[in-house]
Amino acid sequence: MATPEEAYMRIIPLDFGSAKSVPDSFVWPQASDEVHSSDGLTIPVIDLTDPNAPQLITEACQTWGILQLKGHGIPTKLMEDMESECERLFSLPTDQKMKALRSPGGSTGYGIVPMQSLFSTTMWHEGLTIMGSAIDHARLLWPNDYQRFCDKIDDYQKQMKALAEQLMRILFKAMSIPVKEVNWFDDPTNSSGCNLALQLNSYPPCPDPTRTLGLAPHTDTSIVTLLQAKTSGLQVFKDGVGWVAVKPLPNALIVHLGDFTRILSNGQFISVLHRVVVKPIQRYSVGYFFRPPMDFAVSPLLSKDLGPEQVPRYRSVTAKEYLDLKARHLEKAFSLIEN
Ligand SMILES: C=C1C[C@]23C[C@H]1CC[C@H]2[C@@]12CCC[C@@](C)(C(=O)O1)[C@H]2[C@@H]3C(=O)O
Ligand SMILES: O=C(O)CCC(=O)C(=O)O
Ligand SMILES: [Fe+2]
């Protein structure tokens, strides 16, 4: 298994900007799988200010595990600023971006995503992972002009955290789980341990989009992921249907459930399998990963009023244990914790 750095080196010889063709090492045969986009089938769109939002969100989580959210209250200006910060970051010269390279086994930094090291084929993608303050990476990327980036990232994370917590309360209520069951949730001191993460994604223009993939099929290791993207490229897998294209509505946020909610809900909610296809034009996305503290015991929070017959489908694991299983086995991690 290639180390992240070795895997990364498979990308550096290819300066995406000047690629005239897709090298064999980037070829994903499944990239040309048939996808639903013309038959009108798409993911639910819900307005958070709708009085029925909790019910609608719950249904979307049980049937799709993903939805587009309007009325979320995140300032449009802030979302646009994030898009332009992505543009400013990923249009830096490669050798400048390399100064913030994610170190092998490191959890933050520039370059490939952790799951890349599980595949022998390279994804048409570059990213920056941030946990907490972005200052360490920003100082490497822009030695004389890093404050603006850090301020935007801080503001964005603060807003996203508040929205993620609001959604969590809705989901926990739907699972009829008293929020007090997960003390880290309300405990302001502990919430700093929530190991939240921000992932900035760049999918450079691709000369032959049907030959490669931006991100391979995966589920997120989160409770919930809040994603912004201006253009299409995200596809979600729906059982019995196949790949369904997501067409982002202007200023809407894509909310998808991660593995931890599937475990907490004892399989009632879906952790949506998704992938990203690429195009001849540049695409950016920003994902906010809301995750519990590393030492939090993740197990089905069986609600009392769903009756004693509720059998936990998964054994209890700490978030750290599950992350390690996921990093090594990707989707197989679920079968490794099933009772
Ligand atoms: C906070 C996170 C969540 C990460 C790891 C870390 C930073 C980057 C995220 C992704 C993004 C791309 C898919 C994925 C599977 C990957 O390899 O990197 C995600 C992973 C996870 O959701 O497990
Ligand atoms: O770019 C996208 O639309 C999705 C990105 C994603 O799945 C991720 O960052 O985990
Ligand atoms: Fe994802």
Side-chain angles (χ1 to χ4, degrees), residues 178-329:
V179 169
K180 67 175 174 15
E181 292 255 329
V182 276
N183 55 15
W184 54 271
F185 193 82
D186 270 336
D187 174 352
T189 53
N190 205 338
S191 67
S192 61
C194 277
N195 75 26
L196 312 163
L198 198 60
Q199 175 68 17
L200 276 55
N201 296 307
S202 160
Y203 308 89
C206 181
D208 189 352
T210 58
R211 267 167 64 88
T212 189
L213 279 179
L215 283 180
H218 68 278
T219 59
D220 287 356
T221 320
S222 66
I223 291 176
V224 64
T225 303
L226 305 179
L227 189 86
Q228 76 167 60
K230 272 176 90 167
T231 55
S232 60
L234 174 64
Q235 296 180 350
V236 298
F237 191 82
K238 179 130 176 64
D239 276 347
V241 174
W243 289 107
V244 175
V246 174
K247 182 158 181 24
L249 295 174
N251 305 319
L253 274 172
I254 293 162
V255 176
H256 55 243
L257 300 185
D259 298 352
F260 291 126
T261 299
R262 172 170 162 182
I263 298 167
L264 291 169
S265 68
N266 204 26
Q268 200 195 88
F269 288 159
I270 296 167
S271 83
V272 66
L273 185 67
H274 55 285
R275 68 177 193 174
V276 179
V277 293
V278 290
K279 302 184 291 190
I281 54 165
Q282 173 74 46
R283 177 177 182 267
Y284 299 114
S285 73
V286 180
Y288 179 79
F289 293 76
F290 188 73
R291 314 194 295 178
M294 285 300 188
D295 58 351
F296 177 67
V298 187
S299 61
L301 292 168
L302 303 182
S303 51
K304 309 291 172 278
D305 59 7
L306 287 187
E309 76 285 349
Q310 275 249 329
V311 175
R313 287 177 54 181
Y314 310 105
R315 64 177 167 78
S316 181
V317 285
T318 63
K320 174 97 182 70
E321 284 165 346
Y322 184 76
L323 277 165
D324 291 345
L325 284 174
K326 183 74 180 292
R328 283 204 307 277
H329 305 285

Side-chain angles (χ1 to χ4, degrees), residues 28-208:
W28 291 77
Q30 60 176 277
S32 47
D33 284 358
E34 188 253 345
V35 61
H36 289 263
S37 57
S38 52
D39 57 6
L41 181 69
T42 189
I43 66 174
V45 179
I46 296 167
D47 189 321
L48 193 51
T49 58
D50 180 329
N52 298 326
Q55 182 53 36
L56 297 167
I57 290 171
T58 301
E59 281 159 14
C61 294
Q62 288 162 334
T63 55
W64 285 87
I66 184 170
L67 58 100
Q68 287 214 58
L69 192 69
K70 300 175 75 83
H72 44 67
I74 305 292
T76 305
K77 173 81 172 62
L78 182 56
M79 292 176 74
E80 287 164 353
D81 288 351
M82 278 309 288
E83 183 81 9
S84 48
E85 288 306 313
C86 285
E87 164 78 33
R88 193 157 76 94
L89 162 63
F90 293 111
S91 50
L92 285 171
T94 300
D95 57 346
Q96 187 65 16
K97 291 186 280 189
M98 281 289 280
K99 289 178 179 155
L101 185 69
R102 180 200 305 267
S103 51
S107 53
T108 63
Y110 168 76
I112 58 171
V113 288
M115 76 167 168
Q116 174 63 74
S117 51
L118 298 178
F119 296 98
S120 55
T121 310
T122 309
M123 292 175 274
W124 198 270
H125 170 279
E126 55 178 337
L128 179 73
T129 305
I130 296 164
M131 288 187 182
S133 163
I135 191 157
D136 294 347
H137 306 308
R139 258 212 290 251
L140 295 168
L141 294 164
W142 300 284
N144 308 314
D145 175 21
Y146 55 82
Q147 200 52 50
R148 175 167 44 137
F149 183 76
C150 297
D151 295 345
K152 280 286 167 265
I153 294 291
D154 289 349
D155 186 10
Y156 193 77
Q157 290 198 86
K158 209 180 354 271
Q159 302 243 13
M160 283 301 162
K161 187 167 179 296
L163 177 58
E165 287 180 350
Q166 186 182 352
L167 290 166
M168 266 321 302
R169 289 184 198 288
I170 292 174
L171 295 178
F172 276 39
K173 200 161 178 325
M175 295 186 269
S176 43
I177 291 151
V179 169
K180 67 175 174 15
E181 292 255 329
V182 276
N183 55 15
W184 54 271
F185 193 82
D186 270 336
D187 174 352
T189 53
N190 205 338
S191 67
S192 61
C194 277
N195 75 26
L196 312 163
L198 198 60
Q199 175 68 17
L200 276 55
N201 296 307
S202 160
Y203 308 89
C206 181
D208 189 352

